[in-house]
């Protein structure tokens, strides 16, 4: 019985990888993907998250800093091709995750999301010290791993 569920999981993983866009680089590995989605969830709970291409682009152009997480299985791909360029110009680290559905779940929305921007501080108000510290440590850890993955590519 256990092998059937494992087999189904591996089939789902293969389907996710087949649907990936050719520009989805740097792609997060399993461990980094899990950490990144956990960071997205925590940022969403503390209102430090911008969802969708329009909001992310607007925030980047306004000079907000953070971590950009982009889904790798977007179709048509033209929707997100300009986001990595904007991130590089603004010196914002970015990483691709395999699934837009997983990204939406982590961002606490039911609608699949192309990309999110994890901000270091909320746009309105202030966070409690304890929540802010936890978010900051998670953010720093993920960003350092993303920078490591990105630097190994070039």
């Amino acid at each position: 019985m256990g092998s059937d569920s494992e087999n189904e999981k591996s089939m789902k993983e293969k389907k996710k990888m087949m649907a990936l866009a050719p520009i989805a680089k740097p792609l997060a590995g399993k461990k980094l993907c899990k950490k990144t989605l956990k960071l997205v969830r925590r940022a969403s709970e503390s209102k430090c998250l911008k969802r969708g291409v329009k909001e992310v682009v607007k925030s980047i152009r306004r000079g907000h800093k953070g971590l950009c997480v982009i889904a790798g299985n977007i179709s048509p791909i033209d929707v997100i091709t300009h986001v990595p360029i904007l991130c590089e110009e603004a010196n914002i680290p970015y990483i691709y995750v395999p699934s837009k559905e997983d990204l939406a779940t982590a961002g606490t929305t039911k609608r699949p999301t192309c990309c999110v921007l994890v901000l270091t501080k909320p746009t309105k108000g202030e966070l409690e010290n304890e929540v802010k510290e936890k978010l900051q440590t998670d953010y720093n850890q993920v960003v350092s791993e993303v920078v490591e993955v990105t630097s190994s590519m070039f």
Side-chain angles (χ1 to χ4, degrees), residues 57-111:
V57 168
K58 197 186 323 179
S59 293
I60 292 171
R61 289 204 172 127
R62 286 186 178 158
H64 295 150
K65 295 288 181 189
L67 170 70
C68 190
V69 183
I70 308 167
N73 62 343
I74 301 300
S75 178
I77 198 168
D78 299 339
V79 174
I80 57 159
T81 50
H82 64 288
V83 176
I85 298 166
L86 282 173
C87 289
E88 285 175 9
E89 287 174 353
N91 237 7
I92 295 174
Y94 65 93
I95 190 88
Y96 285 88
V97 291
S99 169
K100 62 184 175 186
E101 290 81 12
D102 293 345
L103 190 57
T105 304
T108 61
T109 58
K110 292 175 184 169
R111 190 95 175 101

Side-chain angles (χ1 to χ4, degrees), residues 44-63:
S44 175
E45 289 167 356
S46 55
K47 306 276 189 271
C48 295
L49 192 73
K50 296 290 182 183
R51 297 176 189 88
V53 177
K54 193 173 179 182
E55 271 189 55
V56 168
V57 168
K58 197 186 323 179
S59 293
I60 292 171
R61 289 204 172 127
R62 286 186 178 158

Side-chain angles (χ1 to χ4, degrees), residues 10-154:
S10 67
M11 289 298 286
K12 284 182 181 179
E13 290 292 322
K14 285 181 182 176
K15 281 185 180 179
K16 280 183 187 178
M17 292 304 174
M18 292 295 290
L20 281 177
I23 67 159
K25 289 175 180 64
L27 182 67
K30 279 187 179 180
K31 203 172 184 181
L32 180 57
C33 184
K34 195 172 182 178
K35 282 183 183 179
T36 305
L37 293 176
K38 191 175 178 182
L39 172 69
V40 169
R41 176 171 297 276
R42 189 162 278 134
S44 175
E45 289 167 356
S46 55
K47 306 276 189 271
C48 295
L49 192 73
K50 296 290 182 183
R51 297 176 189 88
V53 177
K54 193 173 179 182
E55 271 189 55
V56 168
V57 168
K58 197 186 323 179
S59 293
I60 292 171
R61 289 204 172 127
R62 286 186 178 158
H64 295 150
K65 295 288 181 189
L67 170 70
C68 190
V69 183
I70 308 167
N73 62 343
I74 301 300
S75 178
I77 198 168
D78 299 339
V79 174
I80 57 159
T81 50
H82 64 288
V83 176
I85 298 166
L86 282 173
C87 289
E88 285 175 9
E89 287 174 353
N91 237 7
I92 295 174
Y94 65 93
I95 190 88
Y96 285 88
V97 291
S99 169
K100 62 184 175 186
E101 290 81 12
D102 293 345
L103 190 57
T105 304
T108 61
T109 58
K110 292 175 184 169
R111 190 95 175 101
T113 308
C114 291
C115 60
V116 295
L117 183 67
V118 179
L119 302 171
T120 51
K121 55 187 174 208
T123 48
K124 295 179 184 173
E126 280 296 313
L127 291 174
E128 293 177 25
N129 231 6
E130 190 178 301
V131 176
K132 191 175 184 178
E133 269 182 36
K134 185 69 177 150
L135 184 64
Q136 192 66 43
T137 55
D138 285 355
Y139 174 82
N140 290 339
Q141 186 180 14
V142 172
V143 166
S144 66
E145 288 185 36
V146 167
V147 168
E148 201 175 287
V149 169
T150 306
S151 65
S152 69
M153 274 182 49
F154 300 111

